[in-house]
Amino acid sequence: MTDPAPAVATGPPSELDRLRRRVEALSRKRAEADAQLHALLSSLLPLDDLLADTRRRAGALHAARTAREATSAAVALSEQIEAAHLMLRGEFTRHDVSPMDTVGRAVDLVEMRVVGTESHPTWPDATVLRERVTGFRLGASTLRHAQVVVAVPGPAPEPEAVPAAGQGPDPAASPAASAGGGRAQPRRTSRSQRRLARKPSAGRGRRSRRT
């Protein structure tokens, strides 16, 4: 009759076991990150193809010889750009990346950076009027802060006046008159110019005395 095998003592894991488990966990995380990166880059390849075709269409627009060809190329180029943008936003959505859409919202300094203000008669104070740089979220965290222009109380800014054709400043007007509104100063003559102006009259006087 054989003796039973001695029981193996099961105590707490040794330092070597804990290190081995930590290395295995890190290896799994790295493999998952590599797979996600590979999937992301693979999803961007069709976008590269679309942008290459967009570049070709832009060349066709520059090479257009008639207004009809230019219009057709411009429409095709606009459609390509819109398609590329939609494709990129679709890939963002697949990877849980979304734009913040801050216009009309109150300023949130956690997600936004105020880069300018503009008076507005009806919008509440500190409301986002427009974005200069779109902000994005990755899940619930901020991937990139939005750069926004916010409203402040006051009248709407007046549009800049563009002078009509033929109504610009007179190029013949003197700088002194345009700057200070005063009378134009007479042109100064040099001493040599004054001498030249006197010579004909002096000659006529000598001829008259001889006669």
Side-chain angles (χ1 to χ4, degrees):
M1 185 176 179
T2 58
D3 295 332
V8 178
T10 57
S14 64
E15 186 66 27
L16 182 60
D17 293 334
R18 287 195 293 269
L19 182 59
R20 185 183 297 110
R21 293 174 184 175
R22 199 173 302 164
V23 170
E24 291 174 354
L26 291 174
S27 299
R28 286 194 300 271
K29 289 183 178 179
R30 180 169 182 176
E32 293 173 359
D34 289 342
Q36 292 176 357
L37 178 61
H38 187 273
L40 175 61
L41 295 177
S42 298
S43 65
L44 292 179
L45 293 179
L47 179 60
D48 181 79
D49 298 335
L50 187 59
L51 290 175
D53 189 49
T54 302
R55 185 177 181 180
R56 180 184 62 81
R57 292 178 185 271
L61 176 60
H62 288 294
R65 297 181 179 179
T66 64
R68 184 173 182 179
E69 290 179 358
T71 301
S72 177
V75 170
L77 181 61
S78 177
E79 292 175 350
Q80 288 288 104
I81 293 174
E82 183 179 3
H85 194 204
L86 291 175
M87 180 181 292
L88 182 60
R89 287 296 178 92
E91 292 302 323
F92 281 167
T93 302
R94 288 183 59 244
H95 292 86
D96 203 15
V97 175
S98 59
M100 291 181 180
D101 296 329
T102 61
V103 176
R105 293 169 45 197
V107 172
D108 182 0
L109 297 181
V110 176
E111 295 183 337
M112 309 174 196
R113 297 290 181 265
V114 178
V115 296
T117 59
E118 186 176 303
S119 58
H120 200 282
T122 58
W123 283 42
D125 188 18
T127 302
V128 178
L129 288 175
R130 60 181 178 274
E131 294 177 338
R132 288 190 181 173
V133 176
T134 303
F136 287 91
R137 299 188 190 93
L138 176 58
S141 61
T142 299
L143 180 62
R144 184 177 72 179
H145 293 89
Q147 297 182 16
V148 298
V149 176
V150 299
V152 293
E158 296 181 358
E160 296 182 359
V162 179
Q167 296 183 359
D170 185 6
S174 66
S178 60
R183 188 174 55 187
Q185 298 295 328
R187 181 181 297 178
R188 295 182 178 179
T189 58
S190 64
R191 184 176 300 176
S192 60
Q193 290 173 337
R194 290 195 295 271
R195 289 177 179 175
L196 290 175
R198 292 194 190 101
K199 284 184 177 180
S201 60
R204 285 194 299 269
R206 287 195 297 271
R207 285 195 298 270
S208 61
R209 284 195 297 269
R210 290 174 181 176
T211 58

